[in-house]
Amino acid sequence: MFRYLPWAQDGLSILLRLILAVGLMEGVRSGYFAGFLAFYAPERLELGPTAFTLAYTLHHLADHLSKGLGGLMAERVGFGLTASLAAFVGFLALLLTPAAHGAWTLWALGLLWGVSMSTLYPGLMTYASRIAVPGREARALSFTLTLVLPWVGIGVVGVGQVAWRHPEAGLTALLFAQGAALALALSLLRFRIPVPPKSRKRYPLSRPLFFLPAAFGQTFAPALVSLFLLRFAKESLGLEPIGVGGLLLLGGGLAFGLLPFTGRMVDRKGYRLPLILGLALLGGVMLRLALGPSLAEVFLLAALGGLGFSLFMPGWNGFLAKNLPQENRAAIWGSLMTVEGLGVALGPVVGGALWEAFGLQAPFLAGGIILFSLSLFYALALRRFGWN
């Protein structure tokens, strides 16, 4: 079985524990802010929607803006220690939530929790790249991220379902899951990400600038439509929420099912064509949605979107794995994740302004143009410069 995995067998046990610990912490975070507080805060803490939604915003800003420093800490101080600290701070925030009757207390807990979690993704992705089997880096990074992200939905749906009926039971479930994450992290307390020998070859300082457009655009373009996708589906496509869920399941299932093949293609043939083609496909899907497709076309667009994402994800990860420096990799990776977070934060408000000024189709047009522009940018940039 190990012949087919993209990670080396020696570090696989540690990686799987890290993936489960980070996944649990991500599920607890999403379940807490998106599935729990809406039921618990108004009734038990007497806090309105503005108070607990601002706690969510502050938490994510603290997380994303600290990722550069968080990545540096994960690599220099020790990833096992920083992951354990993140799990402990999250557990402490959950324990103190019943006493957070003032909005300032809830905001402070969210900020502290967000800063502590800033080490997780830069550290995890750096370690996954370090133990990847040579020639399988794109698959290693893509599968690592794919194993963590489903926990976001599990946390929201699972905790929300419990908290809807019994808010206290929802808090108990969150504490149990966070406690399991803390136990896993403590089992790796002394773990450190292996640091490769210092390279004598000078890394061009201008090279990371080429990562920034995709880092921002890949999150900013979808975020333009994220908060009113259901409204658009109802008014423009005549779809109910359950229909939108089915389309997302179709596209997501296809993307995940194709990932072993597209990841293998990236590792063997290179990341340039999948990265460019994936961005172009995603841009085309957004543009066609803006022009009012028929219902039959919508299913085709969902499939094309899944194909585009299955090409883009390993293409982007392969691009990073091959071209990020080995020295201080986690810190640079964290800085890119900060840029991605800014795209998530700014996209909805820009999308809302475009909707108000030009109509509901405008954010989709803007997102499609952005993704097409990124595809063209990398088609030119990766040909002109000598990328490995």
Side-chain angles (χ1 to χ4, degrees):
M1 182 183 70
F2 291 106
R3 291 168 49 197
Y4 301 101
L5 294 177
W7 308 284
Q9 184 176 351
D10 291 341
L12 188 58
S13 173
I14 292 175
L15 178 67
L16 291 178
R17 276 184 283 169
L18 286 172
I19 288 174
L20 183 55
V22 174
L24 283 169
M25 284 189 266
E26 189 63 75
V28 168
R29 167 165 65 178
S30 63
Y32 178 81
F33 286 106
F36 169 72
L37 282 182
F39 300 103
Y40 189 86
E43 298 178 8
R44 304 297 192 273
L45 304 179
E46 298 180 352
L47 295 175
T50 302
F52 64 79
T53 53
L54 184 56
Y56 169 83
T57 300
L58 293 173
H59 171 85
H60 277 278
L61 283 175
D63 179 6
H64 288 298
L65 294 178
S66 303
K67 271 188 162 58
L69 177 61
L72 184 65
M73 296 291 289
E75 201 166 17
R76 296 292 179 87
V77 176
F79 190 32
L81 180 60
T82 59
S84 298
L85 180 62
F88 174 74
V89 171
F91 193 79
L92 185 64
L94 293 172
L95 283 177
L96 295 177
T97 294
H101 291 284
W104 286 102
T105 306
L106 195 64
W107 297 342
L109 291 175
L111 280 168
L112 184 62
W113 192 0
V115 171
S116 72
M117 291 192 72
S118 66
T119 66
L120 297 181
Y121 281 100
L124 179 64
M125 298 300 281
T126 297
Y127 180 59
S129 72
R130 293 266 164 83
I131 68 164
V133 174
R136 300 182 186 177
E137 291 87 356
R139 278 172 283 180
L141 294 173
S142 299
F143 278 115
T144 298
L145 198 58
T146 304
L147 289 172
V148 172
L149 290 181
W151 288 95
V152 176
I154 293 171
V156 173
V157 175
V159 175
Q161 190 69 22
V162 175
W164 175 52
R165 293 180 173 85
H166 305 288
E168 282 78 11
L171 182 59
T172 302
L174 288 168
L175 284 166
F176 179 80
Q178 189 72 14
L182 178 58
L184 281 167
L186 288 173
S187 72
L188 299 166
L189 184 62
R190 296 184 178 180
F191 167 70
R192 301 180 72 92
I193 299 172
V195 178
K198 192 172 183 178
S199 175
R200 295 182 180 180
K201 186 177 179 180
R202 186 178 178 183
Y203 183 80
L205 296 178
S206 61
R207 178 161 287 191
L209 297 177
F210 286 90
F211 308 133
L212 296 181
F216 182 79
Q218 66 171 296
T219 56
F220 180 74
L224 287 170
V225 303
S226 60
L227 296 189
F228 43 87
L229 181 61
L230 295 180
R231 173 76 178 268
F232 174 83
K234 183 178 180 180
E235 293 189 6
S236 300
L237 307 175
L239 287 173
E240 297 295 329
I242 191 171
V244 177
L247 290 171
L248 293 175
L249 184 63
L250 170 63
L254 187 62
F256 183 75
L258 290 174
L259 197 56
F261 305 101
T262 55
R264 186 179 183 183
M265 181 177 71
V266 170
D267 286 327
R268 291 193 171 187
K269 303 295 184 180
Y271 53 79
R272 183 175 178 269
L273 182 60
L275 176 63
I276 295 167
L277 185 57
L279 286 168
L281 275 172
L282 292 171
V285 167
M286 290 194 75
L287 286 175
R288 187 67 190 100
L289 282 172
L291 300 176
S294 65
L295 188 59
E297 285 181 289
V298 170
F299 283 94
L300 176 60
L301 291 174
L304 289 175
L307 173 61
F309 190 75
S310 74
L311 288 167
F312 168 75
M313 189 177 184
W316 171 243
N317 286 322
F319 181 36
L320 296 179
K322 293 292 186 183
N323 292 291
L324 284 179
Q326 290 295 340
E327 297 175 34
N328 299 318
R329 171 169 282 207
I332 296 176
W333 216 316
S335 300
L336 289 176
M337 290 179 179
T338 295
V339 177
E340 292 174 350
L342 290 175
V344 174
L346 296 176
V349 67
V350 175
L354 289 171
W355 175 16
E356 187 173 348
F358 304 106
L360 199 50
Q361 290 75 25
F364 285 89
L365 286 171
I369 291 171
I370 289 170
L371 292 172
F372 258 123
S373 300
L374 287 173
S375 177
L376 180 61
F377 170 78
Y378 285 110
L380 297 175
L382 298 183
R383 170 178 289 183
R384 182 177 177 186
F385 298 98
W387 297 84
N388 294 325

